[in-house]
Amino acid sequence: MAKVKQKTAWFCTSCGAESPKWTGRCPSCGDWNTMVEEKISAPAAVAMPAGRHKAVPRTVNDIVAVDEPRIHMPSEELNRVLGGGLVKGSIVLLGGEPGIGKSTLVLQNLLAIRNRRILYVSGEESASQLKLRADRIGRGSDNLFIVCETSLENIFSHIEATEPEIVVVDSIQTIATDTLDSSAGSVSQVRECAAALLKFAKESSVPVLLIGHINKEGSIAGPKVLEHIVDAVLQFEGDRQYMYRLLRAIKNRFGSTSELGIYEMCRRGLREVSNPSEMLMTHRTEDLSGVATGVTLEGIRPFLIEAQALVSTAAYGTPQRSVTGFDAKRMNMLLAVLEKRVGFKLGAKDVFLNIAGGLKVSDPALDLAVIAAILSSNVDMAIPSGWCMAGEVGLSGEIRPVVRIEQRISEAEKLGMTDIIIPQGNLKGFDTSRLSIRIHEVAKVADAFRELFG
Ligand code: TYD
Ligand code: MG
């Protein structure tokens, strides 16, 4: 028998690029030391039900737009991040670090769905482990089928047998197809399996939810490839010290990517946090210096968040700058603005900044609260607890307008704030007469300082 030469190729574990030979640096994404050798077989595609039809080009006017039919998920936070429910025939990747709660989130939602057959393929946990988790969440189900399987071909036969309306694969890195020799979790396997499941989703209109692990660098393990195969990429993240978990869409063909879902991991599963401000505010009874409340926006939802700063004389020669939850470069820029435009000498001081709740905020409107927290700590004067603020800070110390100021003001008022500092000219005709919150418009950082500390 003639021995078939085993073919191999080199794959980049970071972006999935393929190369016939080893290179120290990935020719595609430029990362170093990411190429791994994997066995490949002749490009025998995964066997899929036949039925290839040819598409006919049509003019835009001839195409009738239909709203994507969606399956409503029990968790409203999940629905919102998905863009209004799970679109039929779509393939969604839920990524996150191991142990963050991906399986819990999915299982909890599936258990609450009634009257739909669902297939949950687990390649990671045994059926009894899943049962224990379901018990912990406190729910049972007659329509959720669980199978522990790692072969793609077998998964398709399970699908044929159960005829589910939703398919979940936990996790994509544990399944493998027989058509490839490489092991589960390798770039080629993940790519091939995801492509086959995508084809299944498109042809059957059954939505497929893939769970995927993220590696240290924060990309979905190896397979960044997956990100462009799937319709939506949701990321589940959180800080291990905090029980809060954030769900955000990194990509979504059927909705916005600016939505944020917030959960809290409790003893009996995940709890939705529908009022995020509750988690982002410390419930302080005394006024502390170095704490300022900003009104920020994630997606379309405004919420209040606390910036905490500590400014102290540097103990060592080089002052320390330490930031969590905020861009370090941006904080350095704000410190430079304070130094140059407001005349605070912070060059020889240690500055520590922390955004409460373990949330990473990218909204520039938080600048003003960050500056206020730093100033407050520096002069050791507390900002009254009913005060909050929103505004972007420019290089010349000017406070620049922010988007959706009306919603921010309404949210602040709803949460019982008495005063809000906003950029001058930002209101533009917004009727504030029915609001009881006092609005302070400022044009420069120095004005804000005067409003806050007299
Ligand atoms: P899990 O969903 O297994 O994470 P992933 O699938 O992302 O790897 O969640 C694991 C963690 O969640 C585990 O440390 C225990 C915790 N947990 C709770 O705190 N409460 C619960 O009700 C459940 C089911 C899990
Ligand atoms: Mg899991």
Side-chain angles (χ1 to χ4, degrees):
M1 204 174 81
K3 200 163 177 230
V4 182
K5 190 172 175 283
Q6 190 53 256
K7 272 198 171 173
T8 63
W10 294 83
F11 291 91
C12 171
T13 49
S14 151
C15 73
E18 189 178 332
S19 155
K21 59 177 186 2
W22 181 84
T23 49
R25 187 180 188 195
C26 170
S28 172
C29 69
D31 278 1
W32 289 93
N33 283 334
T34 56
M35 304 303 283
V36 291
E37 188 174 23
E38 287 180 10
K39 288 185 198 135
I40 51 166
S41 46
V46 180
M48 278 290 301
R52 192 190 167 100
H53 67 270
K54 222 160 148 189
V56 186
R58 284 178 294 169
T59 65
V60 174
N61 284 348
D62 286 342
I63 300 171
V64 189
V66 280
D67 265 349
E68 309 288 344
R70 290 177 188 261
I71 297 176
H72 196 80
M73 299 306 271
S75 160
E76 278 312 320
E77 298 285 294
L78 177 61
N79 271 326
R80 209 156 31 77
V81 176
L82 282 169
L86 188 60
V87 174
K88 289 197 174 167
S90 70
I91 182 159
V92 176
L93 174 67
L94 173 66
E97 284 177 23
I100 205 78
K102 301 177 295 296
S103 306
T104 307
L105 176 68
V106 172
L107 195 68
Q108 191 169 347
N109 269 278
L110 299 183
L111 284 169
I113 295 180
R114 297 273 160 240
N115 313 322
R116 273 183 203 283
R117 295 169 74 81
I118 304 162
L119 182 65
Y120 187 107
V121 181
S122 176
E124 306 214 323
E125 288 161 304
S126 68
S128 59
Q129 276 174 311
L130 283 161
K131 171 74 179 159
L132 284 177
R133 173 165 307 146
D135 288 347
R136 195 163 169 191
I137 295 167
R139 264 181 186 276
S141 169
D142 287 328
N143 49 334
L144 174 62
F145 296 84
I146 288 176
V147 61
C148 299
E149 185 62 72
T150 54
S151 146
L152 183 68
E153 284 71 19
N154 290 351
I155 290 173
F156 279 123
S157 57
H158 293 313
I159 290 176
E160 228 161 88
T162 39
E163 297 187 339
E165 288 172 78
I166 303 175
V167 174
V168 176
V169 177
D170 184 3
S171 67
I172 182 73
Q173 279 106 352
T174 57
I175 64 169
T177 161
D178 300 340
T179 58
L180 295 174
D181 285 332
S182 47
S183 56
S186 65
V187 179
S188 47
Q189 279 289 4
V190 167
R191 187 157 62 178
E192 207 55 41
C193 292
L197 287 163
L198 170 78
K199 209 160 163 227
F200 160 75
K202 299 292 163 207
E203 284 171 5
S204 64
S205 275
V206 173
V208 176
L209 196 61
L210 303 178
I211 295 180
H213 293 302
I214 287 186
N215 56 11
K216 288 281 171 304
E217 286 75 43
S219 57
I220 304 262
K224 252 223 142 134
V225 215
L226 274 185
E227 289 188 12
H228 62 254
I229 291 179
V230 299
D231 292 313
V233 181
L234 309 186
Q235 187 146 315
F236 207 36
E237 55 189 44
D239 201 305
R240 273 176 202 273
Q241 286 133 37
Y242 300 95
M243 282 298 124
Y244 293 108
R245 300 285 181 264
L246 308 174
L247 182 70
R248 50 173 105 234
I250 298 175
K251 161 183 173 175
N252 194 349
R253 288 195 180 133
F254 309 108
S256 139
T257 51
S258 52
E259 286 303 336
L260 180 73
I262 305 180
Y263 293 90
E264 185 185 7
M265 182 62 92
C266 304
R267 263 186 30 242
R268 308 192 58 193
L270 291 156
R271 180 182 74 85
E272 292 188 24
V273 179
S274 33
N275 173 16
S277 302
E278 77 175 61
M279 75 181 229
L280 303 166
M281 308 277 293
T282 45
H283 303 281
R284 52 197 156 117
T285 43
E286 49 174 342
D287 287 345
L288 296 169
S289 72
V291 179
T293 306
V295 189
T296 177
L297 206 66
E298 280 283 352
I300 55 163
R301 198 160 52 158
F303 53 82
L304 270 61
I305 190 168
E306 238 173 45
Q308 303 169 343
L310 185 67
V311 178
S312 65
T313 312
Y316 307 102
T318 330
Q320 295 185 63
R321 303 272 185 262
S322 164
V323 192
T324 38
F326 192 75
D327 183 19
K329 286 206 185 96
R330 184 127 198 122
M331 183 184 81
N332 284 333
M333 186 276 270
L334 294 176
L335 290 177
V337 169
L338 283 181
E339 179 118 22
K340 192 93 182 173
R341 309 287 174 200
V342 198
F344 279 96
K345 296 277 165 269
L346 296 165
K349 303 245 173 118
D350 287 342
V351 179
F352 304 96
L353 177 72
N354 181 23
I355 305 295
L359 195 71
K360 279 203 179 58
V361 183
S362 51
D363 183 7
L366 198 61
D367 285 357
L368 193 51
V370 167
I371 278 213
I374 293 171
L375 286 177
S376 160
S377 175
N378 193 46
V379 297
D380 201 16
M381 280 167 74
I383 296 171
S385 59
W387 284 63
C388 62
M389 58 212 75
E392 183 181 342
V393 175
L395 283 182
S396 60
E398 82 276 20
I399 310 285
R400 302 165 58 166
V402 295
V403 293
R404 296 180 189 265
I405 193 74
E406 307 90 321
Q407 275 166 289
R408 295 180 200 255
I409 297 173
S410 315
E411 174 74 7
E413 182 175 74
K414 212 165 75 198
L415 289 161
M417 291 286 154
T418 57
D419 294 81
I420 182 168
I421 303 179
I422 64 163
Q424 196 154 58
N426 207 167
L427 276 177
K428 280 198 228 90
F430 173 54
D431 179 24
T432 54
S433 55
R434 54 192 176 76
L435 295 174
S436 61
I437 189 168
R438 280 184 296 275
I439 296 174
H440 309 259
E441 292 188 80
V442 294
K444 293 198 158 306
V445 172
D447 301 344
F449 184 64
R450 222 166 295 124
E451 291 285 343
L452 285 168
F453 309 108

